[in-house]
Amino acid sequence: MSKIENKILTDLVYEKLKVMIDDGVLIPGQKINKLELSQMLGVSQTPLNDALSRLAGEKFLEQRSRQGYFVRAFSDEELVALFEMRGALEGMAIRLCCENATADQIEELSDCFEGFIFPLNDKSYMEYVHADKTFHEKLIRYSGNPILWELSRTSGYMIKSNMKGLTRPPEETYPEHMAMIQALKDHDGDKAQQLMIQHHLRSRNVFRSKLKKKEPNIR
Amino acid sequence: MSKIENKILTDLVYEKLKVMIDDGVLIPGQKINKLELSQMLGVSQTPLNDALSRLAGEKFLEQRSRQGYFVRAFSDEELVALFEMRGALEGMAIRLCCENATADQIEELSDCFEGFIFPLNDKSYMEYVHADKTFHEKLIRYSGNPILWELSRTSGYMIKSNMKGLTRPPEETYPEHMAMIQALKDHDGDKAQQLMIQHHLRSRNVFRSKLKKKEPNIR
DNA sequence: TAAATGTTTTTTGTATACAATATCTATTGA
DNA sequence: TCAATAGATATTGTATACAAAAAACATTTA
């Protein structure tokens, strides 16, 4: 039997704000006007403050002394760092999946990318975006590591790096995903981890090359 | 010229609480009495609340609806997960060090474990504990990844897993550290990452074997 | 015009009050 | 003696008020 929900206002505000960030109602870099926002949500400033602090702890927001809260924006340099982090975490996740995931779960992961025929049309492109997201999410869930799972749901880092669309075209990433799925089926943790790390480092390189083009002008 | 500090009360409370958790004044599992604590610190409940929320976001505390805040305690299962996470993150850190760290920085990393002669006496054992901590910390700093660096300073996961003493004896970990340092000097990122992951997974196994001994009784 | 100064407005950060809820304690009945 | 209930106490969660600081605006001066 499911528990009766008896949530606290703070939690409701917290969840609402997270959705607002996810939906782009609150834009990266934007200043949060506490008074305005609390009136908009129909709550006092106290539960809003609590929610804002928590979101700052989770890196969705940034607090600047005496200036208030701002929606966290990631520089190109930080985006590079973000993909390195994801490579690390998801690399470990897929390794653990090789050890812990059931046959059914591996089947499910494999099914994510079933039936794509290239070149993709607009509809199947959208489906690929979705497949990509669920694949990486399920990997974490089936890794059996509760900390990774918690991080993926509550860390602004993980969620924000997942938000923007694809960084590389499906033609490029599809074979990489296939190779990972093969490694999963072979229960080859070392191989799978290597592949996942490479997968994310290649995405990182997209941002890093952007960065390098800028730098010379600054010097 | 250094800026004049004009910190907010919330931040001071936040930092104080972090020290209190680190020093064991606040014990894992313990309930936080807000009224008592606010009086102890000589502040009102508002800045305390903000600090508590932030610390919950960073996973130092846990908030249970209508019961308040508790110092976060990690089960054996979560400790296993924690070391898997550290393996992932520090594995990436050492890989990046192979790419980005300067010769001086690699020298500095190597120096951490200079001059240990086995068997260690009480004094040199303590020095080894310290060396271990600084080695892993510097790796993250010299990786050039600002997100990893931020995480290592503000994530309850990272800090808490670092708090307890050594999980394995120096005799066992010393050669592992030496191998990593060699890989660093060779700028062999793949190798270094592999070694680091194995290093932490072995520590994980210490907790995992504890877990397995318990399980059969539950069934 | 543009920079510097002074004034007003807005917004933050903090304290405090209070109602709702949980926890503890005492009492009753089996 | 123990469990169940009712009452008292403590603690949380929320609203509100207000001082201090920042931001915006207007005014003066070069």
Side-chain angles (χ1 to χ4, degrees), chain A residues 44-164:
Chain A
S44 82
Q45 292 178 61
T46 313
L48 177 61
N49 258 322
D50 286 356
L52 293 174
S53 297
R54 177 127 61 100
L55 287 166
E58 291 177 352
K59 324 297 181 199
F60 287 96
L61 302 175
E62 184 192 353
Q63 185 173 24
R64 301 193 202 135
S65 256
R66 308 214 132 83
Q67 292 188 90
Y69 292 90
F70 296 77
V71 182
R72 177 129 183 192
F74 291 102
S75 64
D76 280 346
E77 199 194 352
E78 282 171 319
L79 274 173
V80 167
L82 231 44
F83 274 92
E84 288 168 354
M85 188 203 69
R86 277 191 72 185
L89 258 21
E90 290 186 21
M92 180 57 73
I94 199 170
R95 166 191 278 267
L96 296 174
C97 272
C98 288
E99 294 176 23
N100 304 330
T102 65
D104 280 359
Q105 290 172 335
I106 288 175
E107 192 60 34
E108 223 183 286
L109 286 163
S110 172
D111 286 348
C112 287
F113 291 104
E114 204 64 33
F116 284 105
I117 300 151
F118 289 85
L120 301 178
N121 56 34
D122 282 5
K123 192 190 163 211
S124 55
Y125 181 90
M126 296 246 298
E127 283 169 2
Y128 189 87
V129 173
H130 182 253
D132 187 44
K133 215 168 178 173
T134 44
F135 177 72
H136 288 276
E137 194 189 296
K138 283 188 176 178
L139 271 176
I140 288 173
R141 195 150 84 239
Y142 297 156
S143 73
N145 183 311
I147 303 286
L148 288 182
W149 177 236
E150 190 181 13
L151 260 180
S152 76
R153 282 174 305 119
T154 63
S155 162
Y157 294 145
M158 290 295 276
I159 290 173
K160 283 241 175 174
S161 76
N162 228 343
M163 262 167 58
K164 338 223 157 197

Side-chain angles (χ1 to χ4, degrees), chain A residues 6 66 84 150 157 194, chain B residues 6 66 145 150 157 194:
Chain A
N6 184 14
R66 308 214 132 83
E84 288 168 354
E150 190 181 13
Y157 294 145
Q194 290 280 358
Chain B
N6 184 14
R66 308 209 133 85
N145 182 311
E150 189 181 15
Y157 295 145
Q194 289 280 359

